[in-house]
Amino acid sequence: MPQIQIPSPLRQYSGKQASVEVPAKTVGEALDGLVSQHPELKRHLYTDEGKLRAFVNVYVNDEDMRYLQKEATKLQDGDTISIVPSIAGGY
Amino acid sequence: MLKIRQPIYDEIRRHGEETYPYECCGALLGRVEGDTRTVSGSVRCRNTRTDSASDRYEIDPVEAVRIQRDARTRGLDIIGFYHSHPDHPAQWSATDLAEAHWFGCSYVITSVEKGKAALTNSFELTGTDENNKKLADEKIEVISK
């Protein structure tokens, strides 16, 4: 079953779990399963229009899903999905 | 409060001196207990903003993925990030706030003046979402041993 790694700032919305297992064949199914298990995560990951927030990066193992098949990316046994908010700034 | 051992504190300040006049950036690993984040290690990251590296920084998310994974195998977590402000105060900017998304984490800023690390400040990203987030002053306690 694919495992989703939850970054520390979002763990308060995932029952304090650092990783969540979700039965899914694609990244989209995995993310849907995640917010279905933990509804409070939804507004932190998605806009009101239902789009993934621009600063939320989703990786399948070490690959950005945007450069794979996005939500349609197929998952294999043992794949790990990581949710990583962007880290940037400056003055 | 951010607790950090002297060698790690020195290392992140040195990183800013080494990349001067460009911004450095990196991750802070450790544990959180209540309101105290205790740093047990830092990881240097590459500043991907090569177009404007003197006043912008960005960490490649894949680096964060790998750092997060390695940290967890050691029972640690990403508890904050650091970057430098070359010839600019160690104070968060509007850009720093707009681009900060790791709630409950520390954002450490070191001003580097003419190549020499000056003041280092820390700010905790507080709030519950993008609409009410703030970078709040946070005390740094440097532990000598």
Side-chain angles (χ1 to χ4, degrees), chain B residues 89-106:
Chain B
Q91 187 61 34
W92 59 269
S93 65
T95 306
D96 284 327
L97 178 61
E99 305 268 12
H101 306 293
W102 288 65
F103 290 92
C105 286
S106 297

Side-chain angles (χ1 to χ4, degrees), chain A residues 15-82:
Chain A
K16 302 204 170 160
Q17 294 179 81
S19 65
V20 175
E21 285 194 341
V22 179
K25 291 192 175 70
T26 64
V27 172
E29 283 180 25
L31 293 175
D32 287 348
L34 175 67
V35 297
S36 159
Q37 277 186 37
H38 301 284
E40 275 195 274
L41 276 172
K42 191 167 185 178
R43 71 187 179 93
H44 297 281
L45 298 178
Y46 294 95
T47 63
D48 292 343
E49 292 73 38
K51 287 195 169 170
L52 203 60
R53 291 184 183 275
F55 60 83
V56 174
N57 301 286
V58 177
Y59 276 69
V60 179
N61 303 318
D62 282 358
E63 299 290 332
D64 188 336
M65 76 157 185
R66 283 175 286 218
Y67 300 112
L68 298 169
Q69 284 81 47
K70 300 180 181 170
E71 278 87 350
T73 304
K74 288 195 165 50
L75 296 172
Q76 310 290 329
D77 274 350
D79 277 345
T80 299
I81 297 171
S82 298

Side-chain angles (χ1 to χ4, degrees), chain A residues 4-13 17-19 43-44 53-64 66 80-91, chain B residues 23 54-62 64-66 68-69 72 77-79 81 83-88 93 95-96 99-105 107 128-130:
Chain A
I4 306 180
Q5 299 290 318
I6 312 294
S8 48
L10 293 180
R11 244 171 263 161
Q12 57 183 307
Y13 309 111
Q17 294 179 81
S19 65
R43 71 187 179 93
H44 297 281
R53 291 184 183 275
F55 60 83
V56 174
N57 301 286
V58 177
Y59 276 69
V60 179
N61 303 318
D62 282 358
E63 299 290 332
D64 188 336
R66 283 175 286 218
T80 299
I81 297 171
S82 298
I83 296 171
V84 183
S86 63
I87 306 143
Y91 63 87
Chain B
E23 293 200 14
S54 59
D55 62 359
R56 290 284 185 276
Y57 81 94
E58 184 166 17
I59 295 175
D60 187 337
V62 77
V65 168
R66 290 170 182 152
Q68 186 169 261
R69 188 168 56 213
R72 285 183 189 175
D77 227 326
I78 293 176
I79 61 166
F81 302 96
H83 72 281
S84 60
H85 280 178
D87 296 319
H88 204 77
S93 65
T95 306
D96 284 327
E99 305 268 12
H101 306 293
W102 288 65
F103 290 92
C105 286
Y107 284 79
T128 55
D129 60 38
E130 292 296 310

